[in-house]
Amino acid sequence: MENLEGRVTPSRDLRTRPALWRTKRELVLDILPVAVLLVLSVLFIASGDVPDDAQGVLDRFVDVALILLLLVRRRWPIALMALMTAVSVVMLALNYLVPGAVLPVYDEINPWLPLATAVAAYTVAAYAPHRPVSWVLVVAALVVGGRPWDPVVNAISGVVLLTAVPALLGLYLGVRRRLEQALRDRAERAEREQHLRAETARAEERARLASEMHDVVSHRVSLMVLQAGALGVTARDEATKAAAEELRAAGCQALDELRDLLGVLRTDPGGDEHEQDERNGTMLDLSGLVEESESVGVPVDLVEEGNAARVSPVVARTAYRIVREALTNVRKHATGADAHVHLRYGGDRVRLSVRNSAPTDEPDAELVASGSGTGLLGLRQRVELVGGTIDAHPETDGGFTVDAILSAYVPTREG
């Protein structure tokens, strides 16, 4: 059954009525029967069966007014059917008590019902079938129009076609519509449940991967860091101590990144994005990458906007990797080009863009072939892991742009 009542708004005790027509299809379906009945009424007047006196004019006025009221039939189906039945009772009483005084004398072989009764009977059966008053009104219209105390075959068959058949048709279509809606709701519910099961399975797989990485990789790297530290303490020559210290520092950095990655894997992507992270800090320093590129002849213009204080370390490292990979590709594929790095920190987003101009020389074939060709693919997977998006595309002037949008904060659970 369609909802014919108003919905409660956020304001207390404030109710608003829905629109008469929720879709254009409902508007067309409501206007169409009104237009057809108006045409029939005009044809009936033009046929000359309706007298031109005051009674005939009043009769046609009432008929047209009831037809126009069908435009609100979805909102007030019972009230509309009650009005049709009441008008039929008045017509019957006037024709028996004071025939011809107010309305014209009707032909006794025809049902004395307004033209709009058929649509009203259909509507009340289709949209209010569970209200006993609906069927009481339909039966009352049948009795008044058919006049069983003075039976006439034409009148009885006419009232059945005008009232009973539309009511049964409305009942059938209403049940069918509700059944289709129930099936549609069941399918949507099954789809939601399937989606939830898939999300649960994905979360379990993420947790399993995080556990395996923690048990295997982090333990091995931790052992390497400890051994490198011990080597730095026991070594006698400075070169060995320096190499051991570099190895220990690289291992510590790998453990930090691995810890962030494990935290992302263990975190529910749909969790609370406003949970606080005590390790939030500033964006990693990109000046080293800029100096490195400029030292090999690639001018880099670095622009940073906004406050980086609320950016998660895992997001900072991801942005660092994007800039490093983009500048590496400039050195490989865009010989003689300059690069522009634009980093903007928003309230909850980090926008990163690396754009290079068109190359002026042919790239070094050996340098181009030195890569694996999967750098951007790896970046895309890493960016998606922290809930961001990345787009890499050539420009019309021959340059190339890498554009990424990252969430400023990505919750992690360390373990």
Side-chain angles (χ1 to χ4, degrees), residues 165-177:
V165 172
L168 293 176
L169 180 62
L171 179 62
Y172 166 74
L173 294 179
V175 171
R176 179 179 176 181
R177 183 180 62 253

Side-chain angles (χ1 to χ4, degrees), residues 290 293-294 296-302 326-331 333-341 353-361 395 397-402:
V290 173
S293 295
E294 291 181 341
V296 294
V298 180
V300 179
D301 179 25
L302 175 62
L327 293 180
T328 299
N329 287 340
V330 173
R331 293 195 294 269
H333 304 284
T335 306
D338 55 1
H340 178 80
V341 179
S353 176
V354 181
R355 187 184 188 281
N356 63 270
S357 59
T360 58
D361 297 320
E395 299 291 346
D397 60 357
F400 198 85
T401 297
V402 176

Side-chain angles (χ1 to χ4, degrees), residues 79-102:
L80 194 58
M81 188 63 201
L83 180 61
M84 300 295 174
T85 305
V87 170
S88 300
V89 171
V90 171
M91 293 168 60
L92 178 68
L94 290 176
N95 273 277
Y96 275 115
L97 299 177
V98 285
V102 179

Side-chain angles (χ1 to χ4, degrees), residues 102-125:
V102 179
L103 297 177
V105 178
Y106 291 102
D107 191 343
E108 294 184 356
I109 66 172
N110 294 323
W112 297 344
L113 296 174
L115 284 175
T117 304
V119 179
Y122 166 86
T123 303
V124 77

Side-chain angles (χ1 to χ4, degrees), residues 282-355:
T282 60
M283 177 63 76
L284 296 180
D285 187 11
L286 300 178
S287 58
L289 294 177
V290 173
E291 293 175 359
E292 179 182 320
S293 295
E294 291 181 341
S295 66
V296 294
V298 180
V300 179
D301 179 25
L302 175 62
V303 177
E304 296 185 69
E305 300 178 0
N307 183 12
R310 301 296 298 172
V311 177
S312 299
V314 64
V315 177
R317 293 190 180 97
T318 301
Y320 184 90
R321 287 176 179 268
I322 294 173
V323 175
R324 185 177 65 184
E325 179 67 24
L327 293 180
T328 299
N329 287 340
V330 173
R331 293 195 294 269
K332 285 184 178 182
H333 304 284
T335 306
D338 55 1
H340 178 80
V341 179
H342 188 187
L343 193 60
R344 183 171 59 199
Y345 306 97
D348 58 349
R349 292 287 185 270
V350 177
R351 181 70 180 266
L352 174 61
S353 176
V354 181
R355 187 184 188 281

Side-chain angles (χ1 to χ4, degrees), residues 201-255:
R202 188 178 295 110
E204 292 175 354
E205 181 65 14
R206 288 162 65 100
R208 186 185 66 80
L209 290 174
S211 178
E212 291 183 0
M213 292 178 64
H214 179 272
D215 293 340
V216 177
V217 181
S218 63
H219 290 174
R220 296 294 183 183
V221 175
S222 298
L223 182 60
M224 292 168 56
V225 171
L226 291 175
Q227 291 175 343
L231 178 61
V233 173
T234 59
R236 295 185 178 182
D237 59 291
E238 295 300 325
T240 304
K241 287 185 178 181
E245 178 60 25
E246 291 180 1
L247 180 61
R248 189 195 66 81
C252 290
Q253 183 179 358
L255 283 176

Side-chain angles (χ1 to χ4, degrees), residues 29 45 82 342 398:
L29 292 179
I45 295 174
H342 188 187

Side-chain angles (χ1 to χ4, degrees), residues 1 67 74 79 136 148 163 168 185 196 254-255 259 261 350 352 365-366 373 387 389 396:
M1 176 176 178
I67 292 173
R74 292 178 187 269
V136 170
T163 305
L168 293 176
D185 293 342
L196 290 176
L255 283 176
R259 181 174 53 195
L261 183 60
V350 177
L352 174 61
E366 293 183 0
T389 59
T396 56

